[in-house]
Amino acid sequence: MTTDADADADADAAGTRAARDADPAAAPRPGLELAPLTLPITRTLIVSGAIASRDYQDVHHDAEAAGEKGSPDIFMNILTTNGLVGRYLTDHFGPHSVLRKVAIRLGAPNYPGDTMVLRGTITDVDTGGGTDGDGVTVQVRVVGANGLGNHVTGTVTVELAAVAR
């Protein structure tokens, strides 16, 4: 029995194969730079990310409390940053990709009114990877920079669906 999910996966795989066959340079390879993702940092993004991740620390929603603790304004929490890094990679590799390991470190805070640009570079490709040994696993170096410097740096391991090759 074929499900809608199976049909979607087959369609995604066919589309990915067609794109790769039309442009072999699009296949994951070490050194390949992913298209950047530009994200406006808004109060709504910071507060909603904190609420969604159940991080009720006042520095993520109360500007006065943040100021009392030495910060010029509220700032983004690491869980929101982690989610944005995941979104960046799954947007690039597709809905059937799986984040296997996320190792990130925060640097400069993300304050409202700034913009963060996420960039990624594939550092390693394992064609015998995946949970069934038939997938492709890629390692991506990620950097998210804002007006103050690097907000997030790290490495993410992503398993690509075997059908997408």
Side-chain angles (χ1 to χ4, degrees):
M1 179 168 99
T2 302
T3 66
D4 288 342
D6 292 334
D8 289 346
D10 291 343
D12 286 347
T16 302
R17 280 193 302 274
R20 186 195 66 231
D21 293 344
D23 181 10
R29 67 181 187 292
L32 181 68
E33 293 184 13
L34 284 62
L37 174 63
T38 301
L39 297 162
I41 307 302
T42 65
R43 288 186 183 285
T44 301
L45 175 62
I46 293 169
V47 173
S48 62
I51 291 170
S53 61
R54 296 183 175 192
D55 183 346
Y56 303 116
Q57 291 292 316
D58 54 10
V59 295
H60 303 307
H61 65 84
D62 184 334
E64 185 176 315
E68 290 171 1
K69 294 179 179 175
S71 179
D73 206 339
I74 63 171
F75 54 90
M76 185 177 286
N77 71 351
I78 192 168
L79 296 171
T80 302
T81 300
N82 193 54
L84 293 171
V85 167
R87 169 194 164 193
Y88 173 57
L89 294 172
T90 57
D91 280 359
H92 177 80
F93 291 111
H96 299 290
S97 58
V98 177
L99 305 179
R100 290 295 177 197
K101 181 179 179 183
V102 178
I104 60 171
R105 169 171 271 157
L106 291 183
N110 265 341
Y111 292 119
D114 207 344
T115 300
M116 179 173 65
V117 179
L118 285 165
R119 298 180 188 282
T121 304
I122 296 175
T123 58
D124 189 45
V125 177
D126 180 3
T127 56
T131 54
D132 59 4
D134 192 31
V136 173
T137 302
V138 298
Q139 192 168 55
V140 182
R141 173 84 175 139
V142 177
V143 176
N146 61 32
L148 298 173
N150 288 341
H151 169 68
V152 62
T153 56
T155 304
V156 181
T157 303
V158 183
E159 184 178 329
L160 309 182
V163 296
R165 287 189 296 126

